[in-house]
Amino acid sequence: MTKTLRRAAAALLLCASALTAPLASADTDGKPTTATIHGDRPGPVYDKRIFTQFAEHLGTGIYGGLWVGNDKSIPQTNGFRNDVIAALRNLAVPVIRWPGGCFADEYHWREGIGPRNKRPVKVNTNWGGVTEPNAVGTHEYFELLRQVGAEAYISGNVGNGTPQEMAEWIEYITAPAGSLADERARNGHKEPWALASFGIGNELWGCGGNMSAQYASDVTKRYSTFLKVPAGKTLVRIAAGANGGDYNWTEVTMREAAKQLDALSLHYYTLPQGGWPPKADPVKFGETEWADTLAATWKMDELIAGHARIMDKYDPQKRVFLAVDEWGTWYAPDPGTNPGFLRQQNTLRDALVASVNLDIFAKHADRVRMTAIAQMVNVLQAMILTEGRKMVLTPTYHVFEMYKPWQDATVLPIDIATPWYNKDKFVMPAVSGSAVRGKDGKVHVGLSNLDPNQPNTVTVKLDGINVATVTGRVLTAQAINAHNTFDAPETVRPVPFTGAQVSGGTLTVALPPKSVVVLDLQ
Ligand code: AHR
């Protein structure tokens, strides 16, 4: 791109940015990146539920990836593989969303309780037409949560289920007494489980029933009426929200149903190379596809801002939160895999997608109190990939691990003025970042350099923050498409970072090209 073209593109983006108030404002070519962290103006809590993971009955996301049942060749506890559980515990996964996705709106919970060998074997009509053994049902899900140490977020069946079926599922899970509690006890669990959040269907505009916004909001109100938990317990009721930029959906749902809701969802996938259907190769890509993907992921900022503006109109107190409960990259499936399994490799590019989104959620933490990356194991932008006994952690896993101190931390506002990075028509701020004061009292700063070619030195003014030392880790690699395999599992992994200094209230960080850096200040 010529300098003039680049300036024109930059001007365009600046106009768009002015509307959406991005978390980084881009400056003209060649200037260094500067930032200010406002420790003296603490913002909202960065809710730990922003690190929710999504696990759907899809491909090997559950069967094989988490659940191995009686397969004694894979070390397991009560059917769940020990290696994957240990990796998830290390991430401190706060919540697991289950059983779908599209799967949820055809799922009948009664088919997943009782003796496993008596449960009906169905066809998974959404994902690959394979058999669904119903081996993982309600009891197994709560066992998974127990092992991981996570809270429950169940998506109910609005699509082809009834309000009665949904209400009875909640009673089966939460009731201390009564026939459904007795049935639960007969099936092996006397005590009620804690049910934190419940989704009123999924994508009601699509696989959840192809409804109009008006019809869906009426249906949502009806189902919500019957979501009852025992006295003294609470349940977060989450409505199936908009697809990407469908602002009318949010407008209608907030106008019609806000009183009966605690949250409204938003689904936005990063789909490079022309959008739907997903065409981009997860691994074989060049700089243009790198830039295309990262530019597409920046759109999350604009989308949240747009939906939040509508929510502000109906709910200025911000009681109803936005749950971005499906996000992440969606590429063409790995060659040789069942296309219905949505299995894709995960590269350094995905790591940057993750860090940029986690930064965007910090900026909008007043309204965004839950998000769920899609999905946890073996599906789309996964944390973990498995094949038989083998397991590997992806670059995305490492970003989630590096950002752990953000869980329930206090957001510290950050202003970033950074040069543009562009490739062909794809233009974006070169540096993304966020900062928090963690529950450990330390300030944690995340900075990502999206430019795969140029290093970027960031000078950060620390307002109201007393710091003596800085330590940190960096995630980067030689190639933009570097990834971990079962044979080479450590190609992309965080290592100690020595490129940061602090002196006289200023932090200086020498970001390598294509890198994610997380710093601890104390
Ligand atoms: O995550 C895969 C699918 O994407 C989910 O089942 C659905 O909700 C969305 O369209």
Side-chain angles (χ1 to χ4, degrees), residues 363-384:
K363 181 184 160 194
H364 298 285
D366 59 336
R367 184 64 84 174
V368 175
R369 301 206 274 278
M370 176 189 270
T371 84
I373 189 165
Q375 297 193 6
M376 191 157 75
V377 185
N378 289 337
V379 177
L380 298 175
Q381 192 178 348
M383 304 289 121
I384 296 169

Side-chain angles (χ1 to χ4, degrees), residues 205 212-218 221 239-259 261 264-266 303-315 320 322:
W205 41 263
S212 69
Q214 182 63 53
Y215 182 69
S217 61
D218 289 341
K221 277 194 288 188
N243 179 20
D246 183 357
Y247 296 116
N248 179 57
W249 189 278
T250 297
E251 179 84 42
V252 174
T253 312
M254 288 302 291
R255 188 183 67 220
E256 303 291 331
K259 282 199 192 75
L261 299 173
L264 177 62
S265 76
L266 167 67
L303 289 173
I304 294 176
H307 289 286
R309 259 195 305 277
I310 297 164
M311 294 176 80
D312 284 349
K313 201 163 82 181
Y314 296 99
D315 174 35
V320 179
L322 189 63

Side-chain angles (χ1 to χ4, degrees), residues 109-121:
W109 67 273
R110 280 203 159 278
E111 296 175 348
I113 58 169
R116 275 194 284 279
N117 59 4
K118 300 237 163 63
R119 296 182 192 173
V121 174

